[in-house]
Each structure stands twice: as C-alpha cells, then as structure tokens.
Amino acid sequence: MAVLEDNKMIFLAENAVKAALKRGAHEAEAYVYEGQATNVGIELGQISKTSRIIDRGLGIRVIFSKATGFAYTNVINDSQTVDKVAEKALSSARASKPDPEWRGLPQKKEYPSTKRTFDQKIVDLNSEGIVDIASTMLDAAGEADKRVFPIEGGVGCGYISNAIANSNGVLGFDKGTIVECSIAALAKEGRSVTPVCFEFNLSREYNLDPEWVGREAARLAVSAIKTKSIETKSTKVIFTQFALQELLGHTLVNAIKVDSVQRNQSPFKGKIGEKIASENLSIYDDGLFDGGLRTSIFDGEGVPNQKTAVIEKGVLTNFLYDNYSAKKEGKESTGNASRAGYLSTPGIDTTNFHIKPGNKTAEEMLSEVDDGLIVYYLQGAHSSNPVSGEFSVVATPAWRIEKGGITHCSRGVMLAGNVFELLKNVSLIGCNERQMGSLIAPWIMVENVRVIGK
C-alpha cells in the first residue's frame, strides 16, 4: 500500500484551517482521512472476488457567530479545491441559525500513547496472501465435517490514518491497521438444514487463525443439526459476545451517551452514583485499550482519548461526552466524538466498550448451570426500545445446558424482557473476553431470563 505521509496530512489540515480563517471564519477545524482496504469475498463455498478500495478526503467545520457550517471533498491535492471547500463551509455557517449553547472548539492538550494498533505486516499484505488465508479457512470448515457448507465470508486488511487541526492549536496525526477473516456456514443432514452459524477473527495486528475460524463455524453448525423444543419459562442464560453486541448495542450504549441524557431519552438521567446493575458488573469505555479496534490517541475532534469508568461494581459513574455536550454542562469531554471518515461532523459514540472480565472459564460457567441456555446469535435486537430497554428477540439458535453440559440445540426460541433489568441479574462473568466491533467482553450469565419456547 502506498500511503500518505503524516507530514503531508498535517500540512493539509493546517492549511485548510488557515483558508477558512482567512475567509472570515471565527473558528475552524479540518479533518484529513485516508483509508485503504483489500478484500477477498467468499460466496457459496468459493472465493468469488477481490476488491481494492482507496478513500482520501478532507472535511472542514467552521463556526461563524456560533453557527456551524461543514463541507468536504475527496480532492485533496488541489489547493484551489480546498479553498472552495472552506468557502462552502463558511457560506453554510453564515446561512445557519446560531447556537446559543456553542462554547468553542476543543483546546490543545497533550496526546497519550497507544500500543498494538499498527502492524507493517498488514500494510505489506497483498492479494495473493489474502487469498491464501481465505483458502485455509474454507478448507478447515470443509474438512471439519462433510455436512458443513460455507455460505459466505471473506478476508480483508486495511490501513487508516487521520490528521486533525483547529484554530485553537489542536494538531494531531494517527494511523492504524486492521485485518479480519470471517465465515458463515450451515450444516445439512437429510432434510434438516441448520441456521447459519458465524465465526471470525479481527485484529489490529497480523495474528489471524483462519483454521480455527473455519473449524469453529463448522462445529457450531454441526451442533445445531439435531434439535429439541424447549418449554416457556424463566431460566439462566449465558450470553456470548455475539449476543451481547446485539442486545447492548441497541440499548445500554445509547443510554450512556450524554446527548441521549440531555434529550431526556435515557433511563439513567439523574442516576449518577446510583446502583443500576449487579455489583458483579463493571464497564469502561477505553479509547486507549491495547490493540483495541477503536483505539486511537485522539477522538474525532482532536481531544485525547482516555479510559472512562461507566459502571463500577454496578454503580453508574459517568456518561460519555464529546466537546459540545461537555461544555453545555461545564465539564470536560471524555474523548467520545466519533466520525464516519471525512464525510460528517462528529457525534458521540463509544470507543472500546469494555466489560471487565471475571475469573470463570467457559467450562466453569457451564458447570454452574443445571438447566439453562447459551445464546450465540440474536435476531430483532435492532427493534429494542432504547429508552425503556424492552426487547423481544429470537435466538438463532440457542443451545440447551443441562447438568453443566451443552446437550442440544433449540430453534425458534424467543427471549423477552428489559435490558436494564438484565443488568441487575448478572450472576457470573467469564474470563474469556474477545473483541467484537466496539465491544470487548467475556461471556455473561444472567438469572431469570424469560424464554418463550416453540
């Protein structure tokens, strides 16, 4: 991959800020982004396509009399184009309504260091190497069991860098890499066809295990061939990381963003310092987590990233802030401004949403269950109510646990209840944490989950 040098990206950001100020902006911010990715796709058990994507661009945010304007371009090597974008952003601000709660762009602060976010081996990885990884993964799935059929998947590697500058002296550059492989498979036996089962590896460093990914997807698919129904009842449920990502991502994550609190759209408003969950549960938003998929030295506004305690031993300790929402309350940003590349202004989001692991292995957690379920995949979590926490989802599928062991699969099982009540019923937390998008979590056991059988 041929990438832009850090000094060039910083130069572009600084010049864009100067261009906006020269034209009359009261404040200005420039964000320069580069993303490069190479991907190999898998369809119906075959390597189907290879793609290469390069995206570079510049976004300029300006403030004029407390009104905000924004414009962007993907033409960054032409100074005249950058000038035009600055003018367009300023024109937008002049035409916008002033915000009386605007308190200014972030001030310059020292940046921390991060670990395990860049690997030159990923930058140097070519299409042939990626195809080899995909082939290894496909072979492992097929050789694990002849009843397994890979449906889709892929392998990809990427490089991302960004630079930011503003009129208050903020100036930063950061870069990182990512590599991933994934496969979705089903199993067939006679007329029985399982739901699709999925597995993946995803890392900032080049340490994939495509053989394990293929074998594990195959194992899950085969384990779902023979099924038995389950009765409707309240029982213990072990939620794996797949299920937690779906369930919490549409409920808890929104509730701890302070813009939801400020709009009266969070059940946690006014509850800082109160117990809202089991004392077994501690959650941190950690923008500096070693090797985290969303680890960076600064956020989408150039504010230094940090580790923020959200829930400690069941007690709500902090909300997540960007610069604007923090200044509305006379507080400091927690470094949670997020951008979709150069195409938008920042909004509040999690970095690495880290559920503190416990000391139980997966086997030990299973051994604690005389009768219950373990759930990997959920459907319908997106329809959960983010304000009330009410949810009704389908486990696709779930596996029955009896006397400390997984006995069989159950399809069509529904789980219903309230996420914020589930948090209070967490009884065990595993030590088997893994990263999944912004979530870093182990398995979690919850008591008295309402299960609706079929």
Side-chain angles (χ1 to χ4, degrees):
M1 297 179 185
V3 300
L4 289 175
E5 305 246 345
D6 56 351
N7 57 359
K8 182 173 183 179
M9 293 183 70
I10 290 172
F11 177 79
L12 282 167
E14 287 184 303
N15 275 4
V17 169
K18 291 175 182 177
L21 295 176
K22 183 179 178 180
R23 281 159 177 75
H26 296 159
E27 296 180 84
E29 169 195 86
Y31 181 83
V32 183
Y33 169 88
E34 176 179 28
Q36 298 195 32
T38 304
N39 297 288
V40 170
I42 295 172
E43 294 180 2
L44 301 179
Q46 301 291 325
I47 295 173
S48 60
K49 58 186 177 182
T50 301
S51 62
R52 173 103 167 116
I53 300 170
I54 300 176
D55 188 20
R56 294 170 177 152
L58 163 70
I60 302 177
R61 178 167 57 153
V62 305
I63 311 301
F64 184 82
S65 296
K66 292 196 172 187
T68 301
F70 177 77
Y72 66 89
T73 180
N74 60 4
V75 180
I76 60 176
N77 294 321
D78 181 1
S79 60
Q80 290 185 344
T81 300
V82 173
D83 290 345
K84 289 178 181 177
V85 174
E87 182 62 47
K88 186 176 179 181
L90 182 57
S91 296
S92 174
R94 284 176 168 148
S96 300
K97 185 178 179 180
D99 183 349
E101 295 190 285
W102 177 259
R103 301 287 188 272
L105 290 169
Q107 299 293 321
K108 180 180 180 180
K109 292 184 178 180
E110 184 177 349
Y111 290 133
S113 60
T114 57
K115 297 178 181 178
R116 297 172 47 217
T117 59
F118 178 84
D119 191 337
Q120 187 63 40
K121 292 178 183 177
I122 296 175
V123 177
D124 296 336
L125 192 60
N126 57 28
S127 298
E128 290 76 15
I130 295 174
V131 169
D132 287 344
I133 295 170
S135 297
T136 299
M137 185 170 58
L138 275 172
D139 290 345
E143 292 169 2
D145 196 293
K146 298 305 179 184
R147 295 170 291 180
V148 172
F149 183 67
I151 296 297
E152 59 183 0
V155 180
C157 65
Y159 167 88
I160 295 173
S161 64
N162 51 31
I164 193 163
N166 77 17
S167 50
N168 290 334
V170 167
L171 186 64
F173 171 84
D174 200 12
K175 65 180 180 180
T177 51
I178 192 165
V179 63
E180 62 93 17
C181 64
S182 62
I183 193 166
L186 54 77
K188 299 179 181 179
E189 186 175 71
R191 295 184 178 182
S192 178
V193 180
T194 70
V196 173
C197 295
F198 176 82
E199 194 49 87
F200 76 101
N201 269 177
L202 183 61
S203 177
R204 302 294 295 270
E205 296 179 302
Y206 188 40
N207 56 4
L208 298 181
D209 188 349
E211 289 189 23
W212 176 85
V213 172
R215 288 196 306 269
E216 184 65 7
R219 182 192 70 79
L220 288 167
V222 170
S223 71
I225 290 175
K226 295 184 178 182
T227 66
K228 294 181 181 179
S229 61
I230 186 172
E231 65 275 20
T232 296
K233 61 182 179 178
S234 293
T235 190
K236 292 181 179 180
V237 173
I238 295 176
F239 291 92
T240 69
Q241 294 89 350
F242 288 102
L244 289 171
Q245 182 190 37
E246 287 292 313
L247 203 54
L248 301 184
H250 295 285
T251 50
L252 177 61
V253 166
N254 289 320
I256 50 89
K257 297 178 186 177
V258 82
D259 53 347
S260 296
V261 178
Q262 293 171 349
R263 295 194 308 267
N264 296 315
Q265 295 294 304
S266 169
F268 297 151
K269 183 172 183 177
K271 293 188 177 181
I272 293 292
E274 294 185 16
K275 187 175 181 180
I276 63 165
S278 163
E279 63 182 15
N280 296 318
L281 190 65
S282 294
I283 302 178
Y284 304 88
D285 184 84
D286 190 355
L288 301 174
F289 189 87
D290 287 356
L293 298 177
R294 294 192 180 181
T295 294
S296 177
I297 63 173
F298 55 78
D299 73 354
E301 296 178 299
V303 173
N305 270 340
Q306 65 180 46
K307 180 178 180 179
T308 302
V310 177
I311 298 172
E312 287 193 305
K313 295 183 178 180
V315 176
L316 181 65
T317 52
N318 285 291
F319 296 123
L320 303 182
Y321 292 83
D322 64 359
N323 174 69
Y324 175 78
S325 62
K327 287 184 174 179
K328 284 176 69 174
E329 298 184 8
K331 297 182 177 181
E332 294 288 325
S333 169
T334 55
N336 286 96
S338 178
R339 290 182 186 258
Y342 60 91
L343 299 173
S344 69
T345 55
I348 301 175
D349 202 359
T350 53
T351 57
N352 302 297
F353 199 62
H354 184 206
I355 298 176
K356 184 179 179 180
N359 55 13
K360 296 285 187 179
T361 66
E363 292 75 18
E364 287 171 337
M365 290 187 73
L366 290 170
S367 70
E368 297 271 345
V369 182
D370 285 331
D371 183 23
L373 293 176
I374 181 169
V375 176
Y376 278 79
Y377 316 108
L378 297 175
Q379 288 183 350
H382 65 281
S383 63
S384 302
N385 188 314
V387 180
S388 69
E390 297 297 322
F391 70 90
S392 179
V393 295
V394 178
T396 55
W399 282 264
R400 184 74 174 264
I401 307 170
E402 293 179 311
K403 297 181 180 179
I406 297 174
T407 57
H408 61 266
C409 170
S410 294
R411 300 186 198 175
V413 175
M414 292 187 66
L415 308 179
N418 186 290
V419 168
F420 305 121
E421 291 301 316
L422 288 189
L423 298 179
K424 298 174 183 178
N425 292 328
V426 173
S427 57
L428 280 181
I429 298 180
C431 62
N432 55 342
E433 71 176 14
R434 64 182 297 192
Q435 298 187 61
M436 195 163 296
S438 66
L439 178 70
I440 304 172
W443 287 4
I444 289 180
M445 184 188 296
V446 180
E447 305 287 327
N448 300 316
V449 179
R450 184 63 176 169
V451 173
I452 303 168
K454 186 178 179 180

